[in-house]
Amino acid sequence: MKVLKFGGSSVANAENIQKVAAIVMSNNEQQVVVVSALGGVTDALIKAGTLAEQTDESYKDVLKELEKKHLDAARALLPVTHQSSCLSMIKQQFNELEEICNSVFYLKELSLRTKDRIISFGELLSSKIITAFLQSKHVDVEWLDSRKLIKTNSHFGFAAVNFELTNQLITTTIQALDKNIFLAPGFISSDSNNNTTTLGRGGSDYTAAIYASALNAASLEIWTDVSGMMTADPRWVPNAKPIERISYQEAMELSHFGAKVVYPPTIQPVRQKNIPTWVKNTFAPNDAGTVIDSVATHDGDIVTGISSINAIAVLSLEGSGMIGIPGFSKRLFEALANANINVVLITQSSSEHSICVAVNTSDAIKAKEVVDSTFEIEIAQAKVEPLKVETEHSVIALVGDKMKSHPGISGRMFDALGRNGINVRAIAQGSSERNISAVIAHADIKKAVNVLHEAFFENVYKQLNIFIIGVGNVGGKLLGQILQQQTFLQEHLNLQVRVTGIANSRKMLFADNGHDIDLKQWKEELNEQGEPMQLTKFVDTIIQKNFRNSVLVDVTANEDVAKVYEQLLSKAVSVVACNKIAASAPYTHYSELKSLAKEYNALFLFETNVGAGLPVIGTLNDLRRSGDVVTKIQAVLSGTLNFVFNNYDATRPFAEVVKQAQDEGYTEPDPRLDLGGTDVMRKILILAREAGEILEMEDITNNGFLPKECFEGSVDDFYKAMLKHEDHFKKLYNEAAAKNCKLKFVAEFMNAPESKSANVGLKHIPADSDFYHLYGKDNIVLFYTQRYPEQPLVVKGAGAGADVTASGVFADIIRVARV
């Protein structure tokens, strides 16, 4: 013998009822089938009764709609030859229902007893329609009247079952009938005077458990619209996982704290008889579902599930007069119990100065009335404060049998909530340590469930597969920083940065066959195991490997490398570029790269194109995203030039200072890109574009300072030419010094409606300028915007150097992971 229960969307309409029938008919063993009302019917019946009590005649319209719903269902399910008796039954039931509602209308009273009678029609009608449908399929099924078999007290609305009598009636009835399938309405029962009672909303699950317990069934199956119980509500948490097996105790905790799959009282009858209970999906009957049993296994998960209760009010009874005085708790809970107010959660401060309980918001007003009345004398004597009531709260709960043997679960829970700005109003943990509950603001509940689910069920690392081209000075520093931070990123960001390919101008190396590139010995591996560098093959290998979350990191100044971005972005490979060539290429190409990144859900990031590791482009993007408009940008954008002019004082050759800058890693491989202004032109061009302007390199005026001869020949020829023209550089310095000014190579972009222009050039900077106190290799950017019209937003700091540039590239890599 097995018991099956179908409710909710399983019996919402004729189409779904056919699925139910298919499941029932596929079972060969003896079974009791319990069904709920058709979808939405119970709520509609409550509405009809309430309208009648309010002398609102529209209750008749509600009943007409309900009658039509059931008649349509019967006609859709039954062949014409089987319809007559079923349709007559429906008409008869609604005639009786209308008479009851008419009485409510004239009496203007809807007692709990009458309400139970009204809402019982939902299950009576659905069960008889489904029975008729099965009989039309030549299934030998017997309809059972649960009102005659399940006996309760007279607590209408949520009656308590007389199990001794109920078990006897069910057993005797089933044994006397020689049938293989029995079909019974859920939810409904009767008292000793045969008045209809109900078992509470969701009581059809409970009905099925009562039948299963009475019959010592082999199993109970609860068929719903989900494939078992989940680690969290899948409507809130897309990554919620099905729970394969769960204990009775865990199921009771989760159902008590809002998991709607199983009605809380359902567990107790089957637990007493150790009857395994399955939660299955009517619409995916082959799915495994969840089994509720005496022992649970969770594949190593310490926490079994996360649940919540909404519409919670927090009640606080406080007062210095409570300290050391016994009986306050007893009186508080007696007052609430006498008013039939259920307490969801309890916590008390160790000082005994306050007691905090959580109740349903619907009970809050009544709770304040009864508690203030109970402590009226103490309140008048200022020993106790009037009950404080705080609404708009929810309770979130972690549930799991294994939690009691694992320390630190509470810490992880509250740390996760705290890091996400979720304030905990009250905390409770059961003595069994199977449940940790917290009261939080209702506005935070969805966020909290997701935060905790991520913390306890989604600890799989997100892996980034990085291909770095250009492992020279900056690239080498980047590899060192990744090595240094790998453990930190895994522990704190659940991020695994895996370097799967590296290359320089001579060789390239890929991780293969499970072998990662050893970041402690990457130079040796590249030299000893690397193959000759071929850019086309490097790119083809990235595409062929097709690793998830792949990223090309370009730490070169190579034009050919910049040309492969388009190919990679179109394959959903993100690009992090230190190389400025792509972003400063013709605008159509720059725009196309942006579009490809958006279209293929990849990222094209190039923060280090301007200011090395400074957040220059990020700040500009944030200004624009927040609706601000850039009107002017003034900047010293070359760490190289700033270093050179900060260190050149005409006492040693200009060429010697430039060579020092190159040796210390502040220049491009060809220093003329820096000193000639080309690099600064590219940077102001990129900023202008990121500010929303369509601008080309030829639109930028370059007021250079190098003699023409310096641009001829090789880099060695460049240094010789600078020595030859030392007097020219001394003159530049002396002219500025004579005015008590410093030399700075300044870039400017004007975005005024009447004038849009950009220029770069050497300028005399007076002592009152923001640029005057700019030392070493520092950069500075002044953003003038509609929100910062006179006092600009300033970004200032080291604008050159391998370490800071590598850190800027690294930050862009992490940004890829966080999207």
Side-chain angles (χ1 to χ4, degrees):
M1 169 70 75
K2 64 165 34 174
V3 177
L4 290 74
K5 180 266 175 180
F6 296 91
S9 58
S10 297
V11 292
N13 51 49
E15 180 182 358
N16 293 355
I17 289 172
Q18 291 175 338
K19 299 180 188 298
V20 168
I23 293 169
V24 171
M25 291 187 291
S26 68
N27 288 318
N28 295 322
E29 56 191 299
Q30 192 178 30
Q31 58 190 302
V32 174
V33 179
V34 177
V35 297
S36 298
L38 301 185
V41 168
T42 302
D43 287 336
L45 287 169
I46 292 172
K47 180 181 179 180
T50 303
L51 290 171
E53 182 185 30
Q54 297 168 350
T55 64
D56 185 339
E57 292 191 356
S58 62
Y59 75 88
K60 296 178 180 179
D61 297 329
V62 175
L63 294 180
K64 287 179 182 178
E65 285 296 319
L66 282 174
E67 182 177 4
K68 181 178 183 302
K69 181 185 183 78
H70 287 84
L71 290 171
D72 288 345
R75 292 187 180 107
L77 288 168
L78 302 172
V80 175
T81 53
H82 288 73
Q83 288 182 8
S84 179
S85 61
C86 186
L87 297 179
S88 296
M89 178 274 299
I90 294 171
K91 288 282 189 182
Q92 180 182 354
Q93 292 289 332
F94 273 96
N95 287 338
E96 183 178 350
L97 178 57
E98 186 173 5
E99 289 180 3
I100 295 171
C101 288
N102 288 341
S103 299
V104 171
F105 179 85
Y106 289 114
L107 291 172
K108 301 179 184 179
E109 179 185 350
L110 180 62
S111 66
L112 290 176
R113 173 178 166 181
T114 304
K115 184 177 181 181
D116 272 3
R117 182 71 182 94
I118 290 173
I119 59 180
S120 71
F121 281 88
E123 274 71 16
L124 288 171
L125 285 160
S126 66
S127 62
K128 289 187 175 182
I129 291 171
I130 296 171
T131 299
F133 176 56
L134 289 170
Q135 289 172 342
S136 74
K137 296 289 186 181
H138 308 294
V139 176
D140 189 13
V141 55
E142 181 77 18
W143 183 78
L144 300 175
D145 190 344
S146 294
R147 294 172 298 181
K148 295 181 179 179
L149 302 181
I150 300 177
K151 307 303 289 186
T152 70
N153 64 9
S154 298
H155 187 183
F156 299 100
F158 190 18
V161 177
N162 180 338
F163 279 99
E164 182 178 355
L165 179 57
T166 296
N167 291 346
Q168 180 184 344
L169 290 170
I170 291 174
T171 303
T172 302
T173 301
I174 296 295
Q175 290 176 347
L177 297 168
D178 185 21
K179 299 287 184 179
N180 200 45
I181 299 177
F182 299 89
L183 199 141
F187 181 52
I188 60 175
S189 47
S190 68
D191 64 10
S192 57
N193 295 318
N194 295 324
N195 295 310
T196 298
T197 57
T198 60
L199 302 176
R201 293 299 299 267
S204 291
D205 286 357
Y206 191 25
T207 301
I210 292 167
Y211 277 106
S213 176
L215 297 168
N216 292 308
S219 66
L220 167 63
E221 296 178 2
I222 298 175
W223 291 82
T224 68
D225 56 359
V226 293
S227 296
M229 301 183 76
M230 309 287 283
T231 51
D233 189 334
R235 295 170 299 178
W236 284 1
V237 182
N239 294 327
K241 302 187 297 184
I243 301 171
E244 181 180 339
R245 184 176 293 271
I246 187 172
S247 71
Y248 294 120
Q249 294 90 337
E250 290 172 322
M252 282 193 292
E253 293 278 8
L254 283 174
S255 59
H256 172 71
F257 281 94
K260 303 299 183 184
V261 177
V262 179
Y263 180 55
T266 304
I267 305 300
Q268 195 59 35
V270 292
R271 179 189 178 189
Q272 290 178 345
K273 297 291 184 69
N274 202 28
I275 297 170
T277 300
W278 291 87
V279 180
K280 303 275 285 181
N281 189 342
T282 305
F283 309 99
N286 294 325
D287 287 358
T290 298
V291 61
I292 305 170
D293 209 338
S294 56
V295 180
T297 56
H298 304 304
D299 299 325
D301 289 330
I302 298 170
V303 174
T304 301
I306 302 166
S307 195
S308 62
I309 308 176
N310 297 318
I312 290 294
V314 176
L315 312 181
S316 299
L317 184 66
E318 301 178 0
S320 58
M322 296 170 57
I323 300 174
I325 307 299
F328 275 92
S329 298
K330 175 178 179 293
R331 292 170 62 193
L332 170 65
F333 295 120
E334 277 186 348
L336 296 174
N338 291 336
N340 293 319
I341 296 172
N342 181 50
V343 174
V344 176
L345 177 146
I346 306 166
T347 183
Q348 182 171 8
S349 68
S350 58
S351 67
E352 302 180 17
H353 179 266
S354 66
I355 304 171
C356 178
V357 300
V359 302
N360 293 320
T361 299
S362 58
D363 292 327
I365 295 176
K366 186 196 300 184
K368 181 166 177 59
E369 291 175 353
V370 299
V371 173
D372 284 351
S373 175
T374 299
F375 294 96
E376 182 178 3
I377 296 174
E378 287 84 356
I379 292 172
Q381 295 174 347
K383 293 181 178 179
V384 174
E385 298 176 14
L387 187 72
K388 294 180 181 178
V389 179
E390 301 171 56
T391 57
E392 299 297 321
H393 284 81
S394 295
V395 175
I396 188 166
L398 288 186
V399 173
D401 281 340
K402 293 184 179 181
M403 287 164 49
K404 60 186 175 183
S405 58
H406 286 80
I409 301 301
S410 297
R412 286 175 61 188
M413 175 182 180
F414 297 118
D415 177 64
L417 295 174
R419 281 187 287 106
N420 287 273
I422 299 169
N423 184 52
V424 175
R425 178 65 182 81
I427 303 167
Q429 182 169 8
S431 58
S432 68
E433 300 183 53
R434 188 180 290 116
N435 175 304
I436 306 172
S437 307
V439 179
I440 62 174
H442 175 68
D444 289 332
I445 187 62
K446 184 175 180 180
K447 178 182 178 182
V449 171
N450 278 274
V451 163
L452 294 182
H453 195 273
E454 184 177 74
F456 289 97
F457 294 101
E458 299 175 32
N459 289 327
V460 177
Y461 296 128
K462 180 173 183 178
Q463 185 183 87
L464 282 186
N465 289 283
I466 308 299
F467 300 84
I468 303 175
I469 184 166
V471 287
N473 192 16
V474 175
K477 296 290 185 182
L478 174 62
L479 287 168
Q481 290 175 8
I482 293 173
L483 173 62
Q484 175 187 320
Q485 290 299 103
Q486 277 183 323
T487 301
F488 176 89
L489 293 175
Q490 287 190 356
E491 291 179 353
H492 296 276
L493 297 182
N494 280 348
L495 175 62
Q496 184 183 63
V497 179
R498 179 174 179 246
V499 179
T500 48
I502 57 175
N504 57 24
S505 59
R506 295 173 290 103
K507 288 191 174 183
M508 60 184 182
L509 176 70
F510 295 95
D512 202 10
N513 298 324
H515 168 69
D516 287 351
I517 295 173
D518 186 348
L519 298 187
K520 294 180 181 178
Q521 304 182 65
W522 65 267
K523 289 183 181 179
E524 292 79 4
E525 286 192 5
L526 180 61
N527 290 330
E528 296 171 9
Q529 303 172 30
E531 59 184 295
M533 171 59 180
Q534 296 179 31
L535 181 58
T536 301
K537 186 174 182 181
F538 190 86
V539 173
D540 289 343
T541 302
I542 296 174
I543 295 171
Q544 180 185 0
K545 286 184 177 295
N546 197 29
F547 288 135
R548 69 186 188 276
N549 304 319
S550 293
V551 185
L552 172 72
V553 180
D554 179 9
V555 197
T556 74
N558 188 291
E559 185 174 359
D560 290 334
V561 176
K563 289 179 179 178
V564 307
Y565 296 175
E566 185 174 352
Q567 182 182 0
L568 290 169
L569 289 170
S570 64
K571 296 295 183 180
V573 176
S574 293
V575 173
V576 171
C578 184
N579 190 340
K580 305 176 189 67
I581 292 175
S584 59
Y587 185 85
T588 52
H589 183 65
Y590 160 86
S591 180
E592 175 67 12
L593 293 177
K594 290 265 191 172
S595 297
L596 285 171
K598 183 177 181 180
E599 180 179 356
Y600 291 99
N601 199 31
L603 291 180
F604 175 39
L605 301 176
F606 43 89
E607 179 65 75
T608 52
N609 278 195
V610 180
L614 295 177
V616 176
I617 293 174
T619 299
L620 176 54
N621 288 335
D622 287 342
L623 288 170
R624 294 197 67 211
R625 292 188 191 108
S626 66
D628 206 355
V629 176
V630 174
T631 57
K632 181 170 66 174
I633 299 174
Q634 290 181 324
V636 172
L637 294 171
S638 172
T640 303
L641 284 167
N642 201 43
F643 178 91
V644 168
F645 285 113
N646 278 331
N647 286 277
Y648 179 66
D649 58 3
T651 61
R652 59 178 176 143
F654 187 81
E656 183 179 316
V657 178
V658 174
K659 187 66 171 65
Q660 179 187 350
Q662 185 178 27
D663 291 342
E664 294 187 20
Y666 300 147
T667 74
E668 296 287 348
D670 185 344
R672 286 172 291 190
L673 292 174
D674 296 296
L675 274 72
T678 302
D679 188 62
V680 177
M681 291 173 69
R682 285 174 175 164
K683 290 177 179 179
I684 195 64
L685 174 66
I686 292 168
L687 290 182
R689 287 176 172 177
E690 290 296 294
E693 183 62 19
I694 300 175
L695 206 67
E696 304 288 2
M697 277 287 282
E698 52 265 32
D699 298 325
I700 302 173
T701 302
N702 183 0
N703 301 310
F705 66 92
L706 285 178
K708 184 177 180 181
E709 186 180 349
C710 292
F711 293 100
E712 298 172 357
S714 66
V715 173
D716 287 339
D717 293 329
F718 163 66
Y719 278 102
K720 293 175 183 177
M722 282 194 295
L723 286 170
K724 180 180 177 181
H725 291 280
E726 177 61 19
D727 288 342
H728 167 72
F729 299 115
K730 284 183 177 180
K731 181 182 179 182
L732 292 174
Y733 175 82
N734 290 330
E735 286 177 351
K739 299 177 183 179
N740 293 319
C741 291
K742 291 183 179 181
L743 289 172
K744 300 292 181 184
F745 199 84
V746 179
E748 187 175 66
F749 166 64
M750 300 294 296
N751 193 31
E754 67 279 2
S755 174
K756 297 179 184 292
S757 62
N759 64 82
V760 301
L762 200 62
K763 292 187 178 182
H764 294 173
I765 304 300
D768 60 352
S769 169
D770 287 307
F771 297 153
Y772 188 87
H773 298 286
L774 196 64
Y775 305 107
K777 57 185 180 295
D778 284 359
N779 280 187
I780 185 171
V781 181
L782 311 181
F783 290 112
Y784 291 86
T785 72
Q786 289 180 351
R787 294 174 186 158
Y788 299 88
E790 297 177 0
Q791 194 72 17
L793 175 61
V794 180
V795 179
K796 180 181 178 181
D803 278 319
V804 293
T805 303
S807 69
V809 173
F810 198 5
D812 270 349
I813 292 171
I814 295 172
R815 287 186 187 98
V816 173
R818 302 302 293 271
V819 173

